[in-house]
Amino acid sequence: MADTTFLTWPFFEEKHRELAEAIETWCCENLPADHSDTDAACIKLVNDLGTAGFLKLTAVDPADPKPLDVRSLCIMRETLARHDGLGDFAFAMQGLGTGAISLFGTPEQQQQWLNKTRAGQTLSAFALTEPDSGSDVANIELSAIRDGDDYVLNGEKTWISNGGIAGLYVVFARTGEAPGAKGISAFIVPADTPGLTIEERLDVMAPHPLARLGFKQLRIPAANRIGGAGEGFKISMSVLDVFRCTVGAAALGFARRALEEAVARATTRKLGDGVLADMQMVQGHLAEMAIDIDASALLIYRAAWTKDMGAARVSREAAMAKQFATDQAQQIIDKAVQIHGGEGVRSGNTVEKLYREIRALRIYEGASDVQKIIVARQLLSQEGRNAGTKRAQGHLHKGQAATS
């Protein structure tokens, strides 16, 4: 059983402790899923999570659209990831895929789609990345040309989670109002729209449903646009602002599981007249793992709490949480593999599966290097504002001295 004392931190309310207990019970009864057919497993997981009511957390209620509770999203992802990476994936994509509709959709768009995704009846996908545009979102090329009351889309998207099994795609395309980031819009594209094709299913080291999508003269009503024309970049960044720290939460779940497995191994693996845990070096590894886990949790739930308290943007806090938690989880899991020795790299061993699961989290929704750039730019921007304020105050003081 993972440490849950963090739930007593002042970041949390009683509803969060109740949620943590409820999802832990559900996970113990339903996870890990059968991974022999990834598509079928994800579809079943979404259906089961919806039936259990947990997917209500992933999108606003169309009848009462209150803001998403980011702390609840983080608790869900942390707990699901600790039990099964595919369970976390299935939950997370229902939120990320519908995030733009939750935050910027019209009441009609929310009514049409969110009841279905919150019930687990429709899987959703967030289609942003392109073959020549990953972190560089401002340079996406998929075009959406206005034609009367419609838009016509042409181009490709790739590395799209739930690609091939989603019923709903939120697609970002270039509508051309201005160069770069200011010429992108967001659209709702139902999976059965003529012109949408699955060009390639993508296999990765930790199997998840991923695909490259084709858009060939795909026609959708202008009413399917989310937000205003040219607001797509702002929408995509706002969605990531909400969900980015939840990626850190998933990494935290993987890290907690790795520590559990490492402690179990270290305290039972015979070594001479004792066990591995008797070695000071192993004790040092375990201590470092525990420290990094608590540090990650503090950053994650600080970011989530800040957003839940009404902050318009938490780009800096979310970037810190994602970068630190995912990078440290990689190191924690590596230490767990090392403590397991040869068993740690045996196919199917829990820490071997964690080793494959964690790597992608340092890439998707903004690679670690991109998170560092975000933090640095925020820091330098703040420093520039502070310097400007000091200069203005200095000029004011000089002016006062001259007139005194």
Side-chain angles (χ1 to χ4, degrees):
M1 179 68 180
D3 175 29
T4 57
T5 57
F6 72 97
L7 290 168
T8 63
W9 293 351
F11 294 125
F12 301 102
E13 303 167 25
E14 185 58 32
K15 67 178 182 180
H16 299 117
R17 288 181 277 275
E18 292 174 356
L19 173 63
E21 182 177 354
I23 187 56
E24 177 68 23
T25 299
W26 187 89
C27 288
C28 290
E29 295 173 353
N30 293 275
L31 299 179
D34 179 2
H35 288 214
S36 59
D37 183 332
T38 304
D39 287 1
C42 280
I43 292 169
K44 185 177 188 304
L45 282 164
V46 168
N47 184 262
D48 291 349
L49 285 164
T51 300
F54 292 116
L55 293 183
K56 291 179 180 179
L57 299 167
T58 63
V60 300
D61 181 353
D64 186 18
K66 296 177 181 177
L68 298 172
D69 188 277
V70 186
R71 287 167 292 174
S72 293
L73 293 171
C74 288
I75 287 169
M76 287 291 298
R77 291 203 65 179
E78 178 184 337
T79 308
L80 287 163
R82 181 161 47 81
H83 285 271
D84 184 8
L86 206 58
D88 164 63
F89 174 91
F91 174 84
M93 285 313 306
Q94 290 301 95
L96 182 65
T98 58
I101 303 175
S102 285
L103 297 177
F104 297 94
T106 64
E108 292 76 19
Q109 291 170 342
Q110 292 178 349
Q111 186 67 39
Q112 181 179 2
W113 291 105
L114 298 188
N115 288 329
K116 298 174 185 176
T117 62
R118 294 170 85 241
Q121 298 168 356
T122 298
L123 278 72
S124 64
F126 183 77
L128 182 64
T129 301
E130 297 184 3
D132 295 322
S133 175
S135 299
D136 190 10
V137 176
N139 285 322
I140 64 173
E141 296 179 352
L142 187 146
S143 65
I145 306 301
R146 186 70 182 252
D147 182 19
D149 292 332
D150 296 336
Y151 279 93
V152 179
L153 277 61
N154 283 283
E156 282 192 351
K157 294 290 182 181
T158 194
W159 299 113
I160 305 306
S161 296
N162 277 348
I165 61 173
L168 159 69
Y169 294 88
V170 170
V171 178
F172 296 85
R174 180 160 301 285
T175 43
E177 289 75 19
K182 295 183 179 180
I184 297 169
S185 301
F187 299 93
I188 295 170
V189 178
D192 58 0
T193 306
L196 176 61
T197 57
I198 308 303
E199 296 293 314
E200 180 184 11
R201 294 301 300 270
L202 305 172
D203 294 326
V204 290
M205 59 198 294
H208 294 150
L210 296 161
R212 178 167 60 91
L213 311 178
F215 298 79
K216 301 173 182 177
Q217 293 297 115
L218 183 148
R219 184 176 291 270
I220 53 172
N224 283 29
R225 192 184 67 213
I226 304 170
E231 293 183 352
F233 183 84
K234 178 188 75 173
I235 290 171
S236 68
M237 294 301 105
S238 296
V239 171
L240 292 175
D241 210 44
V242 170
F243 288 95
R244 186 165 274 160
C245 66
T246 76
V247 182
L252 178 60
F254 290 145
R256 287 196 195 279
R257 182 58 181 272
L259 180 58
E260 290 177 35
E261 298 293 326
V263 169
R265 176 71 172 180
T267 53
T268 57
R269 176 63 171 171
K270 298 292 185 182
L271 185 67
D273 294 331
V275 293
L276 272 177
D278 295 332
M279 297 180 64
Q280 287 187 339
M281 185 177 294
V282 173
Q283 292 173 17
H285 289 326
L286 296 175
E288 290 170 352
M289 295 161 78
I291 291 167
D292 288 341
I293 282 172
D294 269 17
S296 296
L298 284 164
L299 284 170
I300 291 160
Y301 289 108
R302 186 271 297 260
W305 175 85
T306 302
K307 187 64 179 176
D308 287 342
M309 292 302 102
R313 296 296 298 269
V314 289
S315 300
R316 173 179 173 272
E317 294 87 347
M320 284 182 170
K322 181 186 186 294
Q323 186 274 324
F324 187 85
T326 55
D327 282 6
Q328 295 310 307
Q330 179 86 59
Q331 295 184 34
I332 289 165
I333 292 167
D334 187 71
K335 288 171 183 170
V337 171
Q338 195 72 18
I339 289 171
H340 277 72
E343 286 298 314
V345 293
R346 183 193 291 270
S347 181
N349 186 289
T350 297
V351 294
E352 180 269 340
K353 289 189 284 187
L354 290 169
Y355 195 84
R356 289 186 287 108
E357 285 280 5
I358 187 57
R359 192 60 185 86
L361 274 65
R362 295 173 61 205
I363 298 172
Y364 73 71
E365 290 189 42
S368 293
D369 292 330
V370 172
Q371 304 314 307
K372 292 177 183 178
I373 292 170
I374 292 171
V375 173
R377 285 178 176 172
Q378 292 261 338
L379 179 65
L380 294 170
S381 175
Q382 182 61 49
E383 184 64 24
R385 287 194 296 271
N386 291 341
T389 300
K390 289 178 181 177
R391 285 194 297 270
Q393 290 173 342
H395 291 317
L396 177 62
H397 291 154
K398 288 178 181 178
Q400 289 173 338
T403 57
S404 62

